[in-house]
Amino acid sequence: MTPTPVSPKRRRDRRTLLTWSAVVAVSVALALAASWIYTRDDYWSRRWTVDLTVYLASGETVREGASLYDLVIISPLYGEMPYLYPPLTALLFFVPLSFLPVGAASLVWNSASLVALGAVVWLSLGIAGVRDDRTRSVLTVVGLVLAACLLPVRIQLIAGQINMFLLLLVLLDFSRRSDRLRGVGIGIAAGLKITPLIFIVYLLVTRRWAAARNALAAFLVTVAVGFLVLPGDAARYWGGLVFHSSRAGGVFDTPNQSLAGAMARALSSEQFASWWLLVMAVVGLWGTAVALFAFRRGSDLLGFSAIAVTGLLVSPVSWEHHWVYVIPLLVWLAVRVHRTRSLPLAAVTAVLVAVFTVRVFMLVGIQESPPAPMALAAWEQAVAAAYPLTGLALLALGPLWIRRNLPDADGAAPPASSTSSADGTGRGRTPEGAGKGGDTVHERAGAGTT
């Protein structure tokens, strides 16, 4: 008797189920491993769930009907820790989570964060042009394990942070096949934590008016929901607290890997001088120009990465775990290295992975959270500013690499030495309607085979 052939759709559905079952299983295993490792380490155990504790308290505060922004948790390590996010974030995430004891909440939260990381890797592989379903499934699981070793991810798990969910929401918009809903993820992410608003700027400069409109509308809806459910807290937050970045901690603390943090340490001051703002404005304009240049050269992923790095640099506070936004770039580079066999690009990628994996300042004895700005030698300043210096290097040197390796805006082929185009497939894609208000035809997360 001849067996009934399995349809391609059913085969894809089965592979999808196996892939995400593996992602969930590996995520839970990694979350358990992180708990076991870090709670047994004297240094990290004092930092375990430090932010999640505030989140759980915010959920309890909402359930009790008290004000979110009167909440202050006293940390033995960091002192006063207030709730920092919009009211909607507590409503969506932390009220449900607050019903669990802290140990169970930590496992659920970190497991969900790692599943989101798996989704980020999956989307990034698709954007990079990995089309074979089986290859993409295997690389997603392998990439999840490897990405979990990056320092921003490790700090995210230790503190119990939210950034992985925001990255996933934003990245969904840059891997979306339909233009109709593009921008909604960015707007929702900005409504949960204000920093993703930088991506609306990117949509505007690349003249994707519909996506920018969607993002702004989604953001305003999140604000409106907060006013409907928690009007007093929403009025306090959007009426002024949103601008008080000092509530997040000392700007000169070493884990603050923004330009402001680097300048505060270099100048032994936490007072923002007017020229600080000028420096950040220049970097912001340059980074936005780099993002636009990458977009016009056909790579929305590199444009996304440039604007993400720009936002991290110019934000008053960019903790190490905020830098999870470099993960799609690292995945894209790894795929490009495999396809082009470029030794220089492989070396650059290895350096980037090392920078975002090793906490060098800790190894050389630089303090994490001093009571006042530290007096550091020049080499110590460089070590303490590893992320912002790397970000500045990417924005300075990236356009030179893009110009040499990616196709011109008119669709001309890249130089003969390059074997891969902007989307990693060898087909010279360029933004459709660039300069005419049209949305880009960018590297997509697609189905099909190579």
Side-chain angles (χ1 to χ4, degrees):
M1 185 174 180
T2 305
T4 305
V6 180
S7 68
K9 182 181 182 304
R10 189 172 179 182
R11 191 180 298 114
R12 283 196 301 271
D13 291 344
R14 184 183 301 169
R15 186 176 293 122
T16 299
L17 178 60
L18 288 173
T19 300
W20 293 105
S21 296
V23 167
V24 171
V26 170
S27 295
V28 173
L30 289 171
L32 288 169
S35 176
W36 190 87
I37 293 169
Y38 292 118
T39 56
R40 281 161 177 76
D41 180 275
D42 180 61
Y43 181 89
W44 292 115
S45 62
R46 288 179 291 154
R47 292 155 176 80
W48 184 254
T49 68
V50 64
D51 290 329
L52 184 62
T53 301
V54 180
Y55 297 164
L56 296 177
S58 74
E60 294 173 0
T61 299
V62 172
R63 286 162 48 198
E64 293 168 358
S67 172
L68 274 174
Y69 302 106
D70 290 333
L71 167 67
V72 177
I73 298 296
I74 305 299
S75 165
L77 195 62
Y78 298 116
E80 294 186 353
M81 296 185 66
Y83 177 74
L84 301 173
Y85 299 150
L88 181 63
T89 313
L91 287 168
L92 285 182
F93 290 113
F94 308 135
V95 169
L97 206 62
S98 67
F99 286 97
L100 298 174
V102 65
S106 173
L107 177 59
V108 170
W109 185 249
N110 281 347
S111 297
S113 294
L114 287 163
V115 171
L117 174 58
V120 166
V121 173
W122 169 269
L123 293 173
S124 300
L125 287 167
I127 292 171
V130 177
R131 299 288 184 249
D132 181 75
D133 290 341
R134 182 174 301 174
T135 301
R136 192 173 172 193
S137 296
V138 172
L139 290 178
T140 294
V141 177
V142 173
L144 166 59
V145 175
L146 295 177
C149 298
L150 295 170
L151 181 61
V153 179
R154 302 200 314 266
I155 300 295
Q156 155 107 10
L157 298 176
I158 290 164
Q161 261 289 337
I162 192 174
N163 297 291
M164 200 61 69
F165 301 107
L166 306 180
L167 170 57
L168 177 57
L169 281 168
V170 172
L171 193 60
L172 280 169
D173 277 340
F174 291 97
S175 59
R176 211 180 281 281
R177 295 180 184 179
S178 169
D179 293 342
R180 188 176 61 176
L181 296 177
R182 188 175 298 152
V184 171
I186 292 171
I188 294 173
L192 298 174
K193 187 175 180 177
I194 199 72
T195 49
L197 281 176
I198 188 74
F199 294 101
I200 299 182
V201 175
Y202 178 52
L203 294 176
L204 289 172
V205 298
T206 54
R207 301 189 179 189
R208 287 177 280 188
W209 312 121
R213 191 165 55 244
N214 289 344
L216 183 59
F219 171 67
L220 293 177
V221 167
T222 67
V223 174
V225 171
F227 273 99
L228 286 173
V229 182
L230 296 173
D233 285 333
R236 286 184 66 182
Y237 181 79
W238 297 111
L241 283 180
V242 63
F243 301 111
H244 292 183
S245 60
S246 60
R247 300 173 74 238
V251 68
F252 49 76
D253 287 358
T254 314
N256 178 17
Q257 293 290 302
S258 67
L259 274 179
M263 287 189 287
R265 291 186 292 270
L267 300 172
S268 297
S269 172
E270 59 180 321
Q271 300 300 319
F272 273 64
S274 56
W275 69 268
W276 288 31
L277 299 177
L278 178 61
V279 169
M280 289 189 284
V282 170
V283 171
L285 290 172
W286 173 254
T288 303
V290 172
L292 178 60
F293 178 67
F295 172 82
R296 287 180 171 172
R297 286 281 175 148
S299 182
D300 208 18
L301 186 280
L302 295 184
F304 158 88
S305 298
I307 204 68
V309 168
T310 301
L312 292 164
L313 288 173
V314 303
S315 175
V317 175
S318 291
W319 302 119
E320 291 161 306
H321 51 77
H322 292 175
W323 285 77
V324 294
Y325 284 93
V326 301
I327 293 172
L329 174 62
L330 296 178
V331 173
W332 189 92
L333 287 171
V335 173
R336 177 113 186 169
V337 166
H338 172 72
R339 286 184 169 154
T340 63
R341 303 296 195 272
S342 168
L343 290 179
L345 188 60
V348 169
T349 304
V351 169
L352 289 175
V353 169
V355 167
F356 290 109
T357 301
V358 182
R359 204 184 202 201
V360 179
F361 79 79
M362 182 177 170
L363 295 180
V364 299
I366 298 174
Q367 283 183 271
E368 179 183 314
S369 299
M374 298 171 284
L376 299 175
W379 71 269
E380 291 175 313
Q381 294 287 357
V383 169
Y387 287 13
L389 289 176
T390 301
L392 289 172
L394 287 172
L395 293 181
L397 302 177
L400 301 178
W401 184 90
I402 290 171
R403 184 173 183 177
R404 179 181 177 85
N405 292 277
L406 298 191
D408 292 331
D410 61 1
S417 60
S418 175
T419 60
S420 176
S421 69
D423 65 355
T425 64
R427 297 185 299 271
R429 295 188 183 187
T430 55
E432 184 178 81
K436 301 176 184 177
D439 285 353
T440 191
V441 176
H442 54 77
E443 305 96 332
R444 298 186 187 276
T449 58
T450 54

